[in-house]
Amino acid sequence: MIQMHNVFMSYQPESSALADINLKIPKGDFVFLTGQSGAGKSTLLKLVYADLTPTRGQVLIDGVNLTRLSRSQIPLLRRSIGVVFQDYKLLPNRTVLENVAITLEVLGWGKRDIGKKVFHILKRMGLEDKVNATPLRLSGGEQQRVALARALVNDPKILVADEPTGNLDDENKEAILSIFKEANNRGTTVVVATHDRRVIENSHRTVIRLDKGRIVEVPDVQG
Amino acid sequence: MSKANKGAVRPKLEQEGFFGRLSYFSSRAVANLRQNVFVSAVTVGTIALALLIASLFLLVYVNLDGMAQGWSDKVQVTAYFDQEPAPLAVAALKGRVQAIPGTAKVIFVSQAEAEKRLRSRLKGQESLLEGITQEVLPASLEIRLDREHRDNESVAAYVRKLKQIQGISEVQYGEEWVQRFNSFMNLFRLMGGLLGAFLTITVLFIVSNTIKLTIYARKDELELLGLVGATRFFIKAPFLIEGVLQGAAGAVISLLALLACYYTFLKNAGDFLGINPASAGLSFLPATHLAGIVAGGVLLGFIGSATSLKRFINV
């Protein structure tokens, strides 16, 4: 479960990226985070995977207060959260297999098991014939699916995605969304930040709307 | 919801334990070197060039120091006797001198031997020796000091102790020469030390900045590893091993280049320049110095990587 209590976040003293955020996302839920550019969507996601620490307030994942985590505990938290970045963050000089394998290498998996698991997820993503390609040789949709494979390969408890459909055509958007749904059906809590209204409208899921760093619409806020 | 995912179960612990982890980090480091060939080559090249300059300096310094040490062998103390000691007393006197700290070698020169030496030196000018008998020339002890006792103060202290031995009337040791020689050696070592220090700082600066740039080029990789849950150690270890490998490779290349320079130019520097800087020509660096250069390369790579990584790891 993801909880935020009175969260404020400022990059500079005079302006706040997030103000008085209170939300509760239950385990296994699928939530869209929406709002204009600069509304605070990416900042909110970064708070979830502890890339940022709130200026004020508490962020809790499964009851663990992230603001009280020591530096050595943060990696352990991140291993249970899959992240799909807006710019994919694929390593250009590593193959698709190596890019996805990173997540499992960090967990200390053996080479053979990594190979099996990565091939399995790439097959699920329809990328089994791109295993040895480098990201620069892939289309935008394929790169996004590699990023998704990397985020999902260790079956994370939470998946957060920042504008995952931003640069994709309708067909690829559909493919990506169905992967999110599949992950959610397997028990992963999914939080997707997007400003693509069509994606939200067709999904029939919970929507949290942000405006200038504040939540303006959330159907089930339980502070 | 009860269907909540508990994360994938890790099936095997192949990388558990020291050797398992070391093997993983080493293979990752080698793979990184292969995937970043150009950047790695630039680092290795910079380390090799920097160490080549430093080792060339060391080669010249070691040879000059060796030459200077050779000259210091001329620091010799001669103790003259009032009267030639009896043959039985000579051994006892030599023993007493030998017991003074700093004595390397003692030779007894009898009056007869002194006369013989003088005659051989003045061969062809025997008329000058008319009227000179053995009795005019005093018997003496020629003493060579060990290297640690050839500086001004040590020689003066040695001479004071020598004068306390009964029967010794006068001691000569070329005071002025010793002082000049030691002043030269002090200046030489000071200049060598200063140049060496500047060179070391320059090498450190160039190498650490090159490594910093190469790590900066891979900052996305460092960031990503942190975001997928890698610990600081997990992120740093392959980079540190890479640094060590690059440092070692740079050092070996620099030594090969030094060897090539030595055999092409320096070994025969005497013929090449028309003068011979040392009577036996320049000698190559001793094995301890070569091992030191390789260790220096490894240390450079390691420290350069460690300090640069600090700036780019946010975990």
Side-chain angles (χ1 to χ4, degrees), chain A residues 79-181:
Chain A
R79 289 175 196 180
S80 63
I81 301 174
V83 186
V84 181
F85 305 96
Q86 200 168 359
D87 56 354
Y88 312 146
K89 291 199 192 301
L90 298 176
L91 302 178
N93 52 4
R94 294 202 193 181
T95 63
V96 165
L97 187 139
E98 288 170 329
N99 265 286
V100 178
I102 285 176
T103 311
L104 298 177
E105 284 174 0
V106 164
L107 290 173
W109 280 42
K111 221 177 201 175
R112 200 175 301 159
D113 298 308
I114 289 178
K116 273 192 223 161
K117 182 84 175 161
V118 171
F119 188 76
H120 178 70
I121 194 145
L122 287 175
K123 203 171 170 189
R124 255 169 66 196
M125 303 281 168
L127 289 167
E128 65 269 34
D129 55 338
K130 306 282 183 185
V131 170
N132 293 316
T134 50
L136 293 176
R137 291 175 178 267
L138 304 179
S139 68
E142 287 170 332
Q143 287 188 31
Q144 186 63 285
R145 277 182 281 155
V146 175
L148 249 172
R150 185 183 60 201
L152 289 171
V153 71
N154 64 333
D155 301 329
K157 287 193 281 188
I158 298 169
L159 175 70
V160 296
D162 196 357
E163 299 286 0
T165 56
N167 305 314
L168 304 181
D169 55 36
D170 287 347
E171 196 181 328
N172 271 309
K173 273 182 196 172
E174 206 52 52
I176 297 294
L177 283 173
S178 69
I179 294 167
F180 284 140
K181 282 174 197 164

Side-chain angles (χ1 to χ4, degrees), chain B residues 105-175:
Chain B
K105 199 175 174 186
V106 185
I107 300 169
F108 175 71
V109 181
S110 64
Q111 285 179 314
E113 174 67 20
E115 189 198 1
K116 207 168 119 189
R117 282 189 189 178
L118 188 65
R119 283 189 188 282
S120 78
R121 260 183 225 166
L122 296 174
K123 218 164 198 175
Q125 297 167 293
E126 279 82 2
S127 59
L128 292 171
L129 294 165
E130 271 176 31
I132 292 178
T133 56
Q134 277 185 20
E135 287 70 37
V136 180
L137 302 167
S140 63
L141 285 176
E142 287 177 357
I143 304 155
R144 184 164 292 172
L145 302 179
D146 61 31
R147 290 197 165 170
E148 290 72 37
H149 290 80
R150 288 176 188 170
D151 59 282
N152 300 346
E153 290 77 27
S154 300
V155 176
Y158 186 90
V159 167
R160 275 199 300 278
K161 281 180 195 158
L162 202 59
K163 278 180 175 168
Q164 287 167 5
I165 296 175
Q166 214 170 15
I168 290 175
S169 59
E170 194 188 341
V171 177
Q172 284 181 359
Y173 64 96
E175 195 176 353

Side-chain angles (χ1 to χ4, degrees), chain A residues 27-29 49 51 71-72 74-76 78-79 81 83 85 88-91 93-95 98-99 102-114 117 150 153-157 183-188, chain B residues 1-16 21 24-25 27-28 31-32 34-37 217-232 234-235 238-239 313-315:
Chain A
K27 221 173 234 183
D29 211 351
Y49 57 87
D51 197 22
R71 209 164 64 166
S72 61
I74 289 175
L76 302 176
R78 288 182 181 164
R79 289 175 196 180
I81 301 174
V83 186
F85 305 96
Y88 312 146
K89 291 199 192 301
L90 298 176
L91 302 178
N93 52 4
R94 294 202 193 181
T95 63
E98 288 170 329
N99 265 286
I102 285 176
T103 311
L104 298 177
E105 284 174 0
V106 164
L107 290 173
W109 280 42
K111 221 177 201 175
R112 200 175 301 159
D113 298 308
I114 289 178
K117 182 84 175 161
R150 185 183 60 201
V153 71
N154 64 333
D155 301 329
K157 287 193 281 188
N184 184 239
N185 288 335
R186 291 159 71 94
T188 300
Chain B
M1 268 186 220
S2 60
K3 60 178 180 174
N5 210 327
K6 289 190 173 69
V9 178
R10 184 169 68 171
K12 263 188 195 172
L13 308 177
E14 277 184 24
Q15 289 153 31
E16 222 67 28
R21 301 202 97 191
Y24 169 74
F25 291 138
S27 62
R28 187 67 258 162
N32 285 345
R34 262 190 292 133
Q35 283 165 343
N36 300 282
V37 176
R218 289 165 63 191
K219 68 179 192 329
D220 292 344
E221 185 180 334
L222 295 172
E223 185 195 358
L224 177 78
L225 282 166
L227 290 172
V228 297
T231 58
R232 282 178 80 79
F234 187 93
I235 301 171
F239 277 88
I313 298 181
N314 301 318
V315 189

Side-chain angles (χ1 to χ4, degrees), chain B residues 17-248:
Chain B
F18 177 75
F19 289 108
R21 301 202 97 191
L22 187 69
S23 138
Y24 169 74
F25 291 138
S26 303
S27 62
R28 187 67 258 162
V30 172
N32 285 345
L33 288 172
R34 262 190 292 133
Q35 283 165 343
N36 300 282
V37 176
F38 179 72
V39 172
S40 305
V42 168
T43 312
V44 171
T46 309
I47 293 175
L49 208 60
L51 285 178
L52 176 63
I53 294 167
S55 45
L56 269 171
F57 169 77
L58 196 64
L59 181 78
V60 172
Y61 180 83
V62 164
N63 273 282
L64 285 176
D65 193 53
M67 276 165 61
Q69 290 293 354
W71 294 335
S72 77
D73 287 344
K74 290 181 182 170
V75 176
Q76 186 174 296
V77 178
T78 310
Y80 295 100
F81 294 101
D82 298 332
Q83 288 179 331
E84 178 154 335
L88 277 175
V90 169
L93 279 165
K94 276 175 83 172
R96 284 185 71 184
V97 172
Q98 204 85 52
I100 301 174
T103 311
K105 199 175 174 186
V106 185
I107 300 169
F108 175 71
V109 181
S110 64
Q111 285 179 314
E113 174 67 20
E115 189 198 1
K116 207 168 119 189
R117 282 189 189 178
L118 188 65
R119 283 189 188 282
S120 78
R121 260 183 225 166
L122 296 174
K123 218 164 198 175
Q125 297 167 293
E126 279 82 2
S127 59
L128 292 171
L129 294 165
E130 271 176 31
I132 292 178
T133 56
Q134 277 185 20
E135 287 70 37
V136 180
L137 302 167
S140 63
L141 285 176
E142 287 177 357
I143 304 155
R144 184 164 292 172
L145 302 179
D146 61 31
R147 290 197 165 170
E148 290 72 37
H149 290 80
R150 288 176 188 170
D151 59 282
N152 300 346
E153 290 77 27
S154 300
V155 176
Y158 186 90
V159 167
R160 275 199 300 278
K161 281 180 195 158
L162 202 59
K163 278 180 175 168
Q164 287 167 5
I165 296 175
Q166 214 170 15
I168 290 175
S169 59
E170 194 188 341
V171 177
Q172 284 181 359
Y173 64 96
E175 195 176 353
E176 200 180 328
W177 191 89
V178 168
Q179 277 178 359
R180 273 196 198 167
F181 174 75
N182 283 319
S183 302
F184 164 77
M185 281 304 281
N186 288 340
L187 185 71
F188 170 71
R189 286 193 178 123
L190 181 73
M191 294 299 287
L194 275 176
L195 270 173
F198 283 133
L199 207 59
T200 308
I201 291 168
T202 313
V203 165
L204 280 174
F205 184 75
I206 293 172
V207 171
S208 70
N209 275 300
T210 308
I211 292 178
K212 210 171 283 173
L213 284 175
T214 60
I215 289 182
Y216 178 78
R218 289 165 63 191
K219 68 179 192 329
D220 292 344
E221 185 180 334
L222 295 172
E223 185 195 358
L224 177 78
L225 282 166
L227 290 172
V228 297
T231 58
R232 282 178 80 79
F233 179 75
F234 187 93
I235 301 171
K236 281 162 85 171
F239 277 88
L240 293 176
I241 294 173
E242 270 180 76
V244 166
L245 292 177
Q246 287 169 338

